[in-house]
């Protein structure tokens, strides 16, 4: 009997193709015992990362957070949120009125030359993107609270103070590791004439 599978694009897959695909994914099929061992190792590493005695040598770094409460639905006002998570940088304007939320956002590309350049170039690019966004939304004159999600390993020393531990995701900007990211952002915003509160 000829084994023919339909793929999502509608073309037929024959036995040889199915066999080839099975060959690729075979290495990803693990036994229950192996999955349990992986879970145990992850658990041990996370505990090692949480301990003051072993954090410095743990493979999974666990840093403290200074966020002490979650939204309760009574928040009001207009806020800017920034999200640097990889090759994209997002700027969001969030208006809260109790449980009513209005979000406007724009995603900007981080070119490779910026990812591999200096910290000043990176933060100036971020400030440029913010400048474009606030001009587009006609909020340049407003002093808005600002939240910054910086999705790289950081040692947080306060709610608005964090130092980059190391670069990941292909970034290698010099002059940023060990520096306070909030200060770097504020300095770049100041150079562009944008006023925000952290």
């Amino acid at each position: 009997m000829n084994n023919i599978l339909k793929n999502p694009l509608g073309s037929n897959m024959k036995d040889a193709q199915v066999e080839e695909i099975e060959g690729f994914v075979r290495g990803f099929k693990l036994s229950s015992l192996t999955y349990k061992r992986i879970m145990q190792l992850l658990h041990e590493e996370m505990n090692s990362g949480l301990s003051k005695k072993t954090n410095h040598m743990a493979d999974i770094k666990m840093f403290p957070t200074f966020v002490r409460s979650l939204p309760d639905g009574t928040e009001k006002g207009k806020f800017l949120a920034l999200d640097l998570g990889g090759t994209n940088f997002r700027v969001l304007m969030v208006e809260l009125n109790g449980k009513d939320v209005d979000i406007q956002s724009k995603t900007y590309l981080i070119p490779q030359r910026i990812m591999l350049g200096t910290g000043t170039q990176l933060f100036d690019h971020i400030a440029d993107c913010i400048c474009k966004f606030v001009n587009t939304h006609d909020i340049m004159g407003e002093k808005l609270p600002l939240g910054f999600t910086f999705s790289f390993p950081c040692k947080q020393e306060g709610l608005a103070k964090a130092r980059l531990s190391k670069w990941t995701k292909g970034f290698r900007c010099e002059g940023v590791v060990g520096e306070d990211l909030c200060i770097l952002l504020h300095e770049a915003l100041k150079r562009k004439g944008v006023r925000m509160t952290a």
Side-chain angles (χ1 to χ4, degrees):
M1 185 169 156
N2 193 13
N3 182 13
I4 297 178
L5 298 176
K6 278 254 192 199
N7 75 14
L9 299 176
S11 63
N12 293 327
M13 294 175 61
K14 299 194 171 135
D15 287 338
Q17 292 169 314
V18 171
E19 183 82 25
E20 188 177 3
I21 291 168
E22 284 291 330
F24 286 125
V25 298
R26 197 169 289 125
F28 297 103
K29 292 181 180 177
L30 305 174
S31 69
S32 294
L33 197 61
T34 304
Y35 280 119
K36 284 180 183 173
R37 178 69 181 136
I38 291 168
M39 285 170 51
Q40 178 190 348
L41 289 171
L42 276 170
H43 189 258
E44 287 171 10
E45 278 302 318
M46 285 189 274
N47 282 335
S48 180
L50 286 167
S51 169
K52 284 184 181 180
K53 292 178 184 173
T54 54
N55 177 274
H56 65 284
M57 58 187 176
D59 290 328
I60 301 175
K61 302 293 186 202
M62 305 290 270
F63 295 127
T65 178
F66 290 82
V67 176
R68 293 187 291 261
S69 63
L70 295 172
D72 63 12
T74 62
E75 294 77 19
K76 294 185 180 197
K78 194 185 292 185
F79 307 86
L80 275 188
L82 312 177
D83 180 11
L84 179 63
T87 56
N88 289 323
F89 172 64
R90 284 195 324 147
V91 182
L92 302 93
M93 182 174 62
V94 182
E95 282 195 72
L96 301 174
N97 187 9
K99 294 189 180 181
D100 293 331
V101 181
D102 179 42
I103 300 175
Q104 297 180 47
S105 69
K106 173 79 175 160
T107 301
Y108 301 91
L109 181 69
I110 305 284
Q112 190 168 26
R113 65 181 170 73
I114 299 286
M115 293 170 64
L116 303 176
T118 66
T120 301
Q121 290 170 320
L122 173 65
F123 281 91
D124 280 351
H125 179 72
I126 288 170
D128 279 335
C129 296
I130 295 167
C131 217
K132 288 175 189 168
F133 185 87
V134 296
N135 279 325
T136 300
H137 291 85
D138 199 25
I139 53 172
M140 182 56 101
E142 298 183 42
K143 195 170 181 181
L144 301 176
L146 174 69
F148 189 15
T149 299
F150 193 82
S151 301
F152 299 91
C154 295
K155 182 154 189 184
Q156 207 165 345
E157 298 173 357
L159 191 57
K161 186 171 187 170
R163 295 183 189 280
L164 178 65
S165 298
K166 68 175 187 175
W167 281 117
T168 57
K169 306 176 187 179
F171 278 74
R172 288 199 304 268
C173 301
E174 60 186 57
V176 184
V177 173
E179 297 297 320
D180 186 334
L181 303 165
C182 294
I183 290 173
L184 295 177
L185 176 62
H186 280 288
E187 287 173 349
L189 289 171
K190 200 174 182 181
R191 287 192 292 273
K192 299 292 172 190
V194 180
R195 298 184 315 144
M196 300 286 158
T197 57

